[in-house]
Amino acid sequence: MANPSGKTYVVEHLDPELEEWSALEYANIAAECHASGAQFLLSSVPESLQLPEKLQKAKGLSVERRGVEEIFAAQKDRVCLLDPAASQELSPADGDAFDVFLFGGILGDDPPRDRTSELRQKGYQGRRLGPVQMTTDTAARVTRIVAQDKIPVDKIDYIDHPEIQVSKNESTQMPFRYVKDSKGEPIMPEGMMDLIKKDSEKGLGDLL
Ligand code: SAM
């Protein structure tokens, strides 16, 4: 697969299932990696897991049944784990120090359960992207901006915990940090707003 940037973004899928949320995030990471000349690998995908059609067709996505340790066994020191608990922030210089950026393929939770520890235990060098939990696609976006566009992590415009209007009278607060777009809105994968609205209706339905 063409990889002019020489950078590979890897999401190690850590859940047995693939939620709709994750599918939208992964399709979005694939599209942005493809556009920036990088490669995207979704690793550790169980044989039993059937990816949704839209994701299967996503440009720039390679699906790997093997885990990250096996795929990059010979390049372990060139792999950087994006880790909310790391003591060092990701810097533009890390774009030269690493070829592979590794993310936990888990949905965000509030409060965070530190499931990234499953990858930390494998002994990769870790870097943080600031103190606030991001969605996986946001973490990949910020990593690309820092490592490829060479913009320091604290010079990126963010929106923390945005309030999303889910119906005429209701809103819900997202417990994550997002990158701000040129209109001042949080950047989210295509279809995510509708999914948030649908899920919040379901939540209300469950109570009735
Ligand atoms: N609550 C999760 C946990 O328990 O670790 C965080 C999951 S986050 C939605 C998914 C992935 O995005 C993480 O595994 C990590 O690779 C990356 N990530 C999110 N926020 C980050 C941050 N502030 N610094 C570094 N990596 C981050």
Side-chain angles (χ1 to χ4, degrees):
M1 177 186 264
N3 185 7
S5 72
K7 301 295 171 219
T8 300
Y9 292 74
V10 181
V11 172
E12 178 99 332
H13 186 65
L14 295 171
D15 287 327
E17 305 295 332
L18 185 105
E19 303 284 341
E20 240 179 309
W21 281 67
S22 300
L24 293 182
E25 292 189 358
Y26 296 168
N28 179 268
I29 298 171
E32 290 190 8
C33 280
H34 184 71
S36 78
Q39 191 184 13
F40 175 46
L41 285 187
L42 184 58
S43 60
S44 249
V45 178
E47 291 286 351
S48 56
L49 194 84
Q50 183 70 25
L51 295 183
E53 204 177 323
K54 190 173 173 232
L55 189 56
Q56 281 178 29
K57 287 190 190 146
K59 246 192 195 160
L61 172 78
S62 298
V63 176
E64 264 287 353
R65 304 291 172 191
R66 294 177 298 162
V68 65
E69 275 181 300
E70 193 183 337
I71 305 167
F72 297 103
Q75 300 158 255
K76 195 168 176 187
D77 59 336
R78 301 289 296 176
V79 177
C80 172
L81 170 66
L82 284 304
D83 182 354
S87 52
Q88 209 175 319
E89 302 288 350
L90 185 76
S91 74
D94 290 323
D96 303 320
F98 299 106
D99 303 315
V100 178
F101 296 98
L102 172 63
F103 305 84
I106 36 192
L107 283 179
D109 38 27
D110 186 31
R113 280 185 295 153
D114 190 25
R115 290 195 50 209
T116 309
S117 59
E118 293 178 38
L119 295 172
R120 189 179 311 132
Q121 282 157 10
K122 299 182 191 290
Y124 296 111
Q125 294 181 69
R127 296 287 186 273
R128 197 177 75 149
L129 300 165
V132 184
Q133 176 177 218
M134 298 172 176
T135 60
T136 312
D137 62 294
T138 303
R141 181 171 304 116
V142 170
T143 299
R144 200 186 51 252
I145 296 172
V146 176
Q148 290 180 229
D149 303 342
K150 308 285 183 200
I151 298 173
V153 78
D154 58 356
K155 295 283 180 285
I156 300 170
D157 272 345
Y158 301 107
I159 302 186
D160 291 345
H161 311 137
E163 196 77 40
I164 308 285
Q165 197 72 34
V166 289
S167 68
K168 211 167 140 230
N169 301 317
E170 266 180 295
S171 64
T172 186
Q173 194 175 38
M174 306 306 291
F176 308 112
R177 166 171 283 185
Y178 297 85
V179 177
K180 201 190 267 188
D181 72 10
S182 56
K183 293 185 198 129
E185 300 291 334
I187 300 179
M188 288 186 191
E190 200 188 314
M192 187 57 87
M193 273 301 184
D194 291 338
L195 189 57
I196 293 169
K197 288 178 187 166
K198 194 176 90 185
D199 277 5
S200 70
E201 276 166 25
K202 231 194 291 169
L204 189 64
D206 288 347
L207 293 174
L208 299 174

